[in-house]
Amino acid sequence: MPKINRYVDISTIDREAKKDYIDRHSPFVHCESTAKKGEPFKVKVKMGNEYCHPDDFDHYIAYVQLWDGETLLAQTNWQPGAMGNQCAHAEVDFYIVPQKSKLKLTAMSYCTKHGLWESDPVEVTVED
Amino acid sequence: MPKINRYVDISTIDREAKKDYIDRHSPFVHCESTAKKGEPFKVKVKMGNEYCHPDDFDHYIAYVQLWDGETLLAQTNWQPGAMGNQCAHAEVDFYIVPQKSKLKLTAMSYCTKHGLWESDPVEVTVED
Amino acid sequence: MPKINRYVDISTIDREAKKDYIDRHSPFVHCESTAKKGEPFKVKVKMGNEYCHPDDFDHYIAYVQLWDGETLLAQTNWQPGAMGNQCAHAEVDFYIVPQKSKLKLTAMSYCTKHGLWESDPVEVTVED
Amino acid sequence: MPKINRYVDISTIDREAKKDYIDRHSPFVHCESTAKKGEPFKVKVKMGNEYCHPDDFDHYIAYVQLWDGETLLAQTNWQPGAMGNQCAHAEVDFYIVPQKSKLKLTAMSYCTKHGLWESDPVEVTVED
């Protein structure tokens, strides 16, 4: 099975190369902590907080998925070169319309050399 | 072959149902008219300007693609329900990094009942 | 995070409903146990051995992925209705060209109601 | 808009390089001419009849789609390297379950260097 790599707080890590490796491969979910029921809600998924990831033909971020708990909401696939073949933070803004009282958002991403990675979950309260 | 439907300026159309049909099935590319070479450039693709599209299980916008000329940059797929099963303007913000002097952006979208649609192209000048 | 459900040998399970639930949600990898280096190698991924899965608009198998260890090889997405809206074993034959001495193939699949599932891994010896 | 390239009978073409270019970029739909209503029906989509296509990181077949008229049935995406980074005929077998009396199958494919291509349509009679 593909191993699922998980983000680890890089401030707890000494070795610079490892900080870089973990940060640039981790998707991060950025959104408000509360949403309005039945209204579009923006959710940014962005790779890396501090370190960018290559966009080489043989080494790039191929996709991110946005999940709410065990439900897939959307998936964005990039072709290599979309980030100009330079180091970048691949990112995409999804817009979803919540109908339930809580969201538990997670992003999954795939690097063509370093496999599958999962973000920390982000909880969102949905108000009427 | 799948027919490719193209946007027609709806102000030229009399019949309300046809205006609605064309508008809500057309993807629109929204972005600045100039970009900076080697820097992330935001490109919003949004379905419909004036009319929203259903998000029913048997009738929804399944994907949009962003093209630069004949080169695919990225594709976003939605699962039905991501728009809360209500009428909505499916949208996504892509971030691309241009390296050439011009972009010619087009979006393609697919409705599970009404097929493949193509936006008007949007030209972007890329400055050093 | 999405929970990853794994196949359990259903002969060890008493309750019929649970056997059915596990079997029809599990992808199975079917292929020869040896492949020839540099030659196309057929790998079938098929959902369920004994029980079929609905193809309803609000409940269907949306995709399968084929992995070799931590490397994604290919992904097939279905639109609802591709299985005729009847109970079926969603399946796809991939053809890959191995260059290494061993493959460790796993399939992942996604049901729009019951989430992410993973097959047992299948090891393939690759001969020169 | 992305130009859609179409297959041209290569026996009508003199120049070897052009024959090769057209053939290896064209998806072909291979299936029986009759199907049984409500039963799985195998449809192979294969790139090229006579000429293989590179599987280089910067030049590969990224996806094929299978359409019935204006309805998308399924899409397979490959990662570069799935064909062993050698010249190959990317192929996939889809299984669909027809419920109508006729199918009009078309494949679309995308080469990361040479854009979007469309197969000749294949008509299938569906018997009760």
Side-chain angles (χ1 to χ4, degrees), chain C residues 61-81:
Chain C
I61 303 300
Y63 71 75
V64 294
Q65 294 178 326
L66 178 64
W67 294 77
D68 174 25
E70 307 188 21
T71 303
L72 179 66
L73 299 175
Q75 174 168 340
T76 293
N77 284 52
W78 290 283
Q79 291 304 116

Side-chain angles (χ1 to χ4, degrees), chain D residues 4-125:
Chain D
I4 299 187
N5 302 283
R6 290 195 174 84
Y7 180 69
V8 179
D9 182 348
I10 61 171
S11 69
T12 67
I13 293 171
D14 283 338
R15 206 154 50 86
E16 177 60 23
K18 198 166 175 199
K19 273 186 207 252
D20 178 343
Y21 178 77
I22 291 175
D23 183 82
R24 72 186 152 103
H25 281 106
S26 295
F28 293 87
V29 173
H30 303 271
C31 62
E32 301 292 323
S33 58
T34 56
K36 272 250 188 252
K37 190 174 163 179
E39 293 189 8
F41 180 66
K42 177 176 173 175
V43 182
K44 182 184 285 294
V45 177
K46 189 170 179 176
M47 301 299 299
N49 264 335
E50 301 181 26
Y51 299 84
C52 60
H53 188 282
D55 179 39
D56 296 336
F57 287 110
D58 64 345
H59 185 198
Y60 66 100
I61 304 299
Y63 71 75
V64 294
Q65 293 179 325
L66 178 65
W67 294 76
D68 175 25
E70 307 188 21
T71 303
L72 179 65
L73 299 175
Q75 173 168 342
T76 294
N77 284 52
W78 289 284
Q79 291 304 117
M83 302 301 127
N85 292 127
Q86 70 183 34
C87 205
H89 297 272
E91 72 184 289
V92 60
D93 302 335
F94 295 108
Y95 295 82
I96 61 176
V97 180
Q99 301 289 8
K100 336 178 294 176
S101 58
K102 270 205 178 306
L103 302 174
K104 193 177 171 187
L105 301 175
T106 321
M108 306 284 285
S109 63
Y110 177 68
C111 162
T112 59
K113 269 206 178 145
H114 302 104
L116 199 56
W117 292 72
E118 177 186 326
S119 74
D120 282 345
V122 170
E123 304 219 350
V124 177
T125 303

